Amino acid sequence: TASERTFIAVKPDGVQRGLVGKIVSRFEERGYKLVAIKAVVPSRALAEEHYADLRARPFFRGLVEYMTNGKAPVVAMVWEGKDVVRQGRAMIGATNPLESSPGSIRGQYCVSVGRNIIHGSDSFESATKEIQLWFGKPGEVIDWEPANWVWTMA
Ligand code: DAT
Ligand code: MG
């Protein structure tokens, strides 16, 4: 759809590797609007709910441990703009870095599926769920109008 929101998170490996700024820049420069951001060490319950659809997969325990162990925070964000859910996935690249195109974020910055540095919602429905899960308190997502918005969104 036209203007929509998606949940993007730099995972602990991306934070450890100092990639937060580069990732934020890519979304800013593409023309998207940052409407929420925070560093957080998620609780086990939050991580398990976030990845609930993967509960039966063999890597689930390791995935939750890596997201929650506090060796670095997750930098959680909400980005808004035209087609940002699908566009965000395209910018991030395929889950397995062997398949992510070299120009994508994963294709540029990582080599291992278990340390693929960034998360992005895979559908409008997932985005709605994930934004509520990570930024559910009133006022955590901020409505504002960039001065140049009309040039991006016309
Ligand atoms: P994505 O993050 O691209 O939405 P996903 O939802 O299928 O991918 O999986 C969530 C995360 O789980 C993924 O980013 C990394 C981890 N993961 C997925 N498949 C994996 C595998 N085969 N081995 C280890 N980790 C895996
Ligand atoms: Mg996913």
Side-chain angles (χ1 to χ4, degrees), residues 50-51 53-54 89 95 106 119-122 126 130:
H50 175 78
Y51 282 127
D53 57 329
L54 300 173
R89 289 289 290 193
T95 305
R106 285 171 175 162
H119 167 84
S121 308
D122 64 7
S126 304
E130 291 166 6

CSV table of all heavy atoms in Angstrom, one decimal, residues 50-51 53-54 89 95 106 119-122 126 130, ligand 2:
chain,number,residue,atom,x,y,z
A,50,HIS,N,8.2,-12.9,19.3
A,50,HIS,CA,8.6,-12.3,18.0
A,50,HIS,C,8.8,-13.4,17.0
A,50,HIS,O,8.5,-13.2,15.8
A,50,HIS,CB,9.9,-11.4,18.2
A,50,HIS,CG,10.5,-10.9,17.0
A,50,HIS,ND1,10.0,-9.8,16.4
A,50,HIS,CD2,11.5,-11.3,16.2
A,50,HIS,CE1,10.7,-9.6,15.3
A,50,HIS,NE2,11.6,-10.5,15.2
A,51,TYR,N,9.5,-14.5,17.4
A,51,TYR,CA,9.8,-15.5,16.5
A,51,TYR,C,8.8,-16.7,16.6
A,51,TYR,O,9.2,-17.9,16.4
A,51,TYR,CB,11.2,-16.0,16.7
A,51,TYR,CG,12.2,-15.0,16.0
A,51,TYR,CD1,13.3,-14.5,16.7
A,51,TYR,CD2,12.1,-14.7,14.6
A,51,TYR,CE1,14.2,-13.7,16.1
A,51,TYR,CE2,13.0,-13.9,14.0
A,51,TYR,CZ,14.1,-13.4,14.8
A,51,TYR,OH,15.0,-12.5,14.1
A,53,ASP,N,6.5,-18.0,15.0
A,53,ASP,CA,6.2,-18.9,13.9
A,53,ASP,C,7.4,-19.9,13.6
A,53,ASP,O,7.2,-20.8,12.8
A,53,ASP,CB,5.9,-18.1,12.6
A,53,ASP,CG,7.0,-17.1,12.3
A,53,ASP,OD1,7.7,-16.6,13.2
A,53,ASP,OD2,7.2,-16.8,11.1
A,54,LEU,N,8.5,-19.7,14.3
A,54,LEU,CA,9.6,-20.6,14.1
A,54,LEU,C,9.9,-21.5,15.3
A,54,LEU,O,10.9,-22.2,15.3
A,54,LEU,CB,10.9,-19.7,13.9
A,54,LEU,CG,10.9,-18.8,12.7
A,54,LEU,CD1,12.1,-17.9,12.7
A,54,LEU,CD2,10.8,-19.6,11.4
A,89,ARG,N,12.2,-5.4,3.0
A,89,ARG,CA,12.7,-6.8,2.8
A,89,ARG,C,13.7,-6.8,1.7
A,89,ARG,O,14.7,-7.5,1.7
A,89,ARG,CB,11.5,-7.7,2.6
A,89,ARG,CG,10.6,-8.0,3.8
A,89,ARG,CD,11.3,-8.9,4.8
A,89,ARG,NE,11.4,-10.2,4.4
A,89,ARG,CZ,11.7,-11.2,5.2
A,89,ARG,NH1,11.9,-11.0,6.5
A,89,ARG,NH2,11.9,-12.5,4.8
A,95,THR,N,17.2,-14.2,3.5
A,95,THR,CA,17.6,-14.7,4.9
A,95,THR,C,19.0,-15.3,4.9
A,95,THR,O,19.8,-15.1,5.8
A,95,THR,CB,16.5,-15.8,5.3
A,95,THR,OG1,15.2,-15.2,5.2
A,95,THR,CG2,16.8,-16.2,6.7
A,106,ARG,N,22.2,-7.5,4.0
A,106,ARG,CA,22.8,-8.8,4.3
A,106,ARG,C,23.9,-9.1,3.3
A,106,ARG,O,24.9,-9.7,3.6
A,106,ARG,CB,21.8,-9.9,4.4
A,106,ARG,CG,20.9,-9.8,5.7
A,106,ARG,CD,19.8,-10.7,5.7
A,106,ARG,NE,19.0,-10.8,6.9
A,106,ARG,CZ,17.8,-11.2,7.0
A,106,ARG,NH1,17.1,-11.7,6.0
A,106,ARG,NH2,17.2,-11.2,8.2
A,119,HIS,N,16.7,-7.7,11.2
A,119,HIS,CA,15.4,-8.3,11.0
A,119,HIS,C,14.5,-7.2,10.3
A,119,HIS,O,14.6,-6.0,10.6
A,119,HIS,CB,14.8,-8.6,12.3
A,119,HIS,CG,13.3,-8.9,12.2
A,119,HIS,ND1,12.8,-10.1,11.9
A,119,HIS,CD2,12.2,-8.1,12.4
A,119,HIS,CE1,11.5,-10.1,11.8
A,119,HIS,NE2,11.1,-8.9,12.1
A,120,GLY,N,13.6,-7.7,9.4
A,120,GLY,CA,12.5,-6.9,8.9
A,120,GLY,C,11.2,-7.6,8.8
A,120,GLY,O,11.3,-8.8,8.4
A,121,SER,N,10.1,-7.0,9.1
A,121,SER,CA,8.8,-7.7,9.0
A,121,SER,C,8.6,-8.2,7.6
A,121,SER,O,8.9,-7.5,6.6
A,121,SER,CB,7.7,-6.7,9.3
A,121,SER,OG,7.9,-6.0,10.5
A,122,ASP,N,8.0,-9.4,7.5
A,122,ASP,CA,7.8,-10.0,6.2
A,122,ASP,C,6.5,-9.8,5.5
A,122,ASP,O,6.2,-10.3,4.4
A,122,ASP,CB,8.1,-11.5,6.3
A,122,ASP,CG,7.1,-12.3,7.2
A,122,ASP,OD1,6.1,-11.7,7.6
A,122,ASP,OD2,7.3,-13.5,7.4
A,126,SER,N,2.5,-9.0,9.8
A,126,SER,CA,3.7,-9.2,10.7
A,126,SER,C,4.1,-7.9,11.2
A,126,SER,O,4.5,-7.7,12.4
A,126,SER,CB,4.9,-9.9,10.0
A,126,SER,OG,4.5,-11.1,9.4
A,130,GLU,N,4.5,-7.0,15.1
A,130,GLU,CA,5.8,-6.7,15.7
A,130,GLU,C,5.9,-5.3,16.2
A,130,GLU,O,6.5,-5.1,17.3
A,130,GLU,CB,6.9,-7.0,14.6
A,130,GLU,CG,6.9,-8.5,14.3
A,130,GLU,CD,7.7,-8.8,13.0
A,130,GLU,OE1,8.3,-7.9,12.4
A,130,GLU,OE2,7.7,-10.0,12.7
B,2,MG,MG,11.1,-13.6,9.3
